[in-house]
Amino acid sequence: MVHVEKLTPAIGAILTGIDFTRPLDDKVCDAIYQALIDNLVIFFRDAEISPAAHMAFAQTFGDLGEPHPLYPHVDGLERIVKLENDSGAPPDTNSWHTDLTFQAKQPFASVLVARHVPEVGGDTMWCSTYAAYEALPVGMKRDLEGLEAVHDFGDFRNSFATDTDTQTSKERLDSAVARFGQMVRPLIATHPTTGRKFLNFNEAFVTHVVGLTTNEANALKTWLANHMAKPEFQMRWRWRAGDVAMWDNRCTMHYAVADYLPAYRCMNRITVINDRRVS
Ligand code: SIN
């Protein structure tokens, strides 16, 4: 039987009673899905899930994402992103973000497995964008309703802003802009399963607010980022190797704390594109 223990009132739960060495039956997957919808991010301690079981587990919820546009993958398994960092390869996931909101299809969920974690540090934080919306002042809710924001590859620009032997930074940035494109999304959105509203903003990928000047948009973006930084909307997970996290990428943002260098940290991530139970 799946047991669910909440970690904070707004977000996060630990699930126990699941054996990842065997195929999971539909009833167990439905219970996990419900726990995800209710708690936004769920954890399985010491799950020791194999890469094959990781893929099979993610696939029970929807189709797997294409290989990541920037990150490498696990040998022979291109749908499993390998997030591997140390002082020679510092992480770039230490900003609040919702995965790939600049793509036409914003992914439904991610399943992250800790393969190697530093002795101390390297925690991940999640934020409920439902809670952030619900705590907005009434006037701000009214002002944001109907506004739309432009999402592009935002912070990933850093990876393209230097010359290489074959290309200038301008050429690399121009081709990245063409490759990744941009999306316009409402600032207040509604979750397809729960019908709850959430604040559809993340500081890594929202670059502009439609209809405002850059100066006005910057002021609003800073206000929203500060509002969403409140600990009341957030939780923080201290990893052990073998842990698994799964989050609903529609109504959360996350931040991988980059406090562990020069130590080594390695995570495996699978993105689930669509929510099979909705479509
Ligand atoms: C991510 O941003 O998806 C990575 C999270 C992590 O490495 O903790």
Side-chain angles (χ1 to χ4, degrees):
M1 209 182 83
V2 179
H3 179 258
V4 180
E5 183 193 342
K6 273 189 172 295
L7 290 167
T8 79
I11 182 166
I14 299 187
L15 272 59
T16 48
I18 295 139
D19 179 358
F20 285 102
T21 63
R22 295 156 188 267
L24 302 179
D25 66 35
D26 289 352
K27 242 172 95 182
V28 169
C29 290
D30 285 348
I32 294 172
Y33 177 79
Q34 196 53 52
L36 177 73
I37 294 300
D38 294 343
N39 297 287
L40 322 187
V41 54
I42 54 178
F43 300 90
F44 308 91
R45 252 306 176 213
D46 305 320
E48 302 295 355
I49 192 170
S50 68
H54 185 187
M55 298 250 302
F57 176 66
Q59 260 160 344
T60 62
F61 299 98
D63 300 315
L64 304 191
E66 292 294 312
H68 194 275
L70 287 180
Y71 298 140
H73 55 73
V74 168
D75 281 348
L77 296 170
E78 59 173 12
R79 305 298 170 117
I80 308 186
V81 170
K82 191 172 185 181
L83 298 163
E84 194 173 31
N85 300 104
D86 60 16
S87 49
D92 64 356
T93 46
N94 56 329
S95 63
W96 281 108
H97 62 284
T98 302
D99 289 333
L100 302 173
T101 57
F102 52 89
Q103 290 191 341
K105 278 200 155 196
Q106 177 175 335
F108 149 50
S110 288
V111 184
L112 185 69
V113 178
R115 295 293 177 202
H116 189 285
V117 293
E119 217 169 278
V120 63
D123 299 351
T124 307
M125 301 177 69
W126 280 268
C127 172
S128 163
T129 57
Y130 289 141
Y133 169 75
E134 284 155 14
L136 286 171
V138 175
M140 189 54 122
K141 280 186 185 157
R142 212 174 29 230
D143 289 348
L144 296 181
E145 199 72 55
L147 277 184
E148 294 184 313
V150 178
H151 298 235
D152 75 14
F153 72 130
D155 285 0
F156 285 150
R157 272 181 181 73
N158 295 325
S159 309
F160 297 88
T162 48
D163 295 348
T164 63
D165 291 344
T166 53
Q167 277 188 308
T168 63
S169 56
K170 173 174 167 37
E171 287 165 341
R172 296 182 71 217
L173 280 164
D174 283 349
S175 75
V177 169
R179 178 170 163 216
F180 297 125
Q182 42 197 322
M183 274 302 290
V184 176
R185 299 186 179 281
L187 264 177
I188 308 295
T190 303
H191 192 283
T193 304
T194 63
R196 284 173 73 186
K197 288 188 177 181
F198 60 92
L199 189 45
N200 197 20
F201 172 83
N202 73 91
E203 61 187 81
F205 299 136
V206 172
T207 50
H208 191 63
V209 180
V210 177
L212 304 190
T213 63
T214 297
N215 186 281
E216 290 163 346
N218 285 347
L220 179 56
K221 286 183 340 182
T222 302
W223 192 94
L224 291 172
N226 289 341
H227 170 74
M228 294 174 100
K230 290 193 178 70
E232 285 81 353
F233 314 147
Q234 299 175 5
M235 61 142 303
R236 181 172 181 138
W237 182 253
R238 181 157 191 207
W239 293 98
R240 291 203 295 247
D243 289 353
V244 176
M246 178 174 187
W247 64 90
D248 185 336
N249 191 56
R250 298 166 296 197
C251 54
T252 58
M253 335 182 268
H254 54 284
Y255 185 117
V257 181
D259 57 355
Y260 53 89
L261 300 177
Y264 173 74
R265 180 179 186 267
C266 180
M267 314 293 280
N268 288 176
R269 193 183 78 194
I270 295 180
T271 301
V272 185
I273 293 299
N274 58 312
D275 180 347
R276 187 159 288 144
R277 287 164 176 80
V278 169
S279 51

